[in-house]
Amino acid sequence: MSGTTSGAVARAAAPALLFDLDGTLIDSVYQHVIAWRNALAEAGIDLAVWRIHRRIGMSGGLFVNALVRETGRKLTAEQVEAIQRAHAEEYLKQRASVVPLPGAVELLRTLTGRGIPWAIATSGQRRTAGHALELLGLPEDTLMVTRDQVRFAKPDPDLFLAAADRLGADPRQTMVVGDSVWDLLAARRAGALGVGLLSGGYGRDELERTGAYRVYTDPADLLDRLDELGVRSGDDAGYDAGDDPV
């Protein structure tokens, strides 16, 4: 006879959500692409825009090394750092054109209203990522882990592990929401479930192959389907208490 009694089933805690930033919450991927193209051109490196886009989401150092490898060029550490600085300057010139993605502000407000813990984890430096808090209507003390706060950025899991730690959450009980294959690879390495968004330019098949168990168009689409992630509204929060539907 089973030792489990009716009504004694433990309820799992609500999942914590860890969000990438560029292409996930703010519409900034192509500004970054142009900024990288200009920074590389200053260093005498001419690369097609599509090649640059495929690396967006990686840490800056890995990004530059991967791209210059395709050209056969060799760069010193100082040159790599100079290109990264130039990218930041070029991006900041364009930040006035960056806006929140559809539904991003409402999604974060909804999660906060329902008591769902969440954080932002981005491969960007605080210098370039910090302005996003104002765009999203968030206070300065919002939990956001940036590249300069961890040893390695995506595709390493450090950003998501650090964000989970600061939330006091087990990484295995979190869901990572990102728009690139680098986000989802880092999520898998952190032990988190991956949720993909198409708003950064990657295709559904690419995101699913890298580990996304759900893929949505943008934050607005995700907000409409939060129940698929186990994030319940006030109306249905008590449904699974043990009673069958009638």
Side-chain angles (χ1 to χ4, degrees):
M1 187 172 176
S2 171
T4 302
T5 59
S6 175
V9 178
R11 292 289 303 277
L17 273 67
L18 309 178
F19 291 93
D20 172 53
L21 181 61
D22 297 296
T24 298
L25 295 173
I26 61 174
D27 195 3
S28 56
V29 168
Y30 293 99
Q31 285 87 343
H32 275 293
V33 169
I34 297 304
W36 279 117
R37 184 185 67 176
N38 293 344
L40 290 164
E42 287 180 20
I45 301 168
D46 185 22
L47 281 171
V49 166
W50 73 268
R51 290 187 180 274
I52 296 172
H53 176 260
R54 303 297 296 176
R55 302 289 181 177
I56 294 293
M58 298 177 73
S59 71
L62 287 179
F63 177 96
V64 175
N65 287 330
L67 289 177
V68 298
R69 183 171 61 241
E70 298 181 24
T71 69
R73 292 277 301 272
K74 291 188 179 297
L75 298 177
T76 65
E78 291 76 16
Q79 289 173 312
V80 171
E81 290 179 6
I83 292 173
Q84 290 180 263
R85 287 195 301 272
H87 159 261
E89 292 167 2
E90 290 289 334
Y91 175 76
L92 290 173
K93 291 176 184 177
Q94 302 179 70
R95 73 176 183 177
S97 66
V98 176
V99 297
L101 280 160
V105 172
E106 296 80 3
L107 173 60
L108 298 180
R109 286 178 180 169
T110 297
L111 294 174
T112 299
R114 295 185 188 179
I116 305 299
W118 59 269
I120 299 171
T122 173
S123 290
Q125 301 279 343
R126 182 76 188 195
R127 178 186 177 192
T128 55
H131 78 287
L133 297 180
E134 182 179 355
L135 282 178
L136 295 166
L138 299 172
E140 281 295 318
D141 61 354
T142 296
L143 203 169
M144 181 169 69
V145 181
T146 54
R147 173 66 186 90
D148 39 318
Q149 297 173 335
V150 296
R151 184 177 181 187
F152 298 117
K154 306 162 193 173
D156 287 277
D158 300 34
L159 283 162
F160 295 131
L161 292 174
D165 181 67
R166 289 175 61 181
L167 282 176
D170 182 340
R172 296 169 297 179
Q173 300 300 318
T174 66
M175 285 182 278
V176 166
V177 182
D179 65 288
S180 76
V181 296
W182 313 109
D183 297 322
L184 296 169
L185 177 55
R188 291 179 68 175
R189 296 177 69 184
L193 285 174
V195 177
L197 298 183
L198 300 175
S199 41
Y202 277 91
R204 179 181 297 272
D205 289 347
E206 293 176 291
L207 298 176
E208 289 177 341
R209 284 199 304 269
T210 319
Y213 87 102
R214 289 286 188 275
V215 176
Y216 301 97
T217 302
D218 55 20
D221 187 28
L222 174 56
L223 175 59
D224 286 342
R225 300 170 183 272
L226 273 178
D227 59 298
E228 295 180 356
L229 305 187
V231 177
R232 302 181 183 280
S233 69
D235 293 337
D236 62 8
Y239 167 71
D240 286 338
D243 295 330
D244 290 332
V246 294

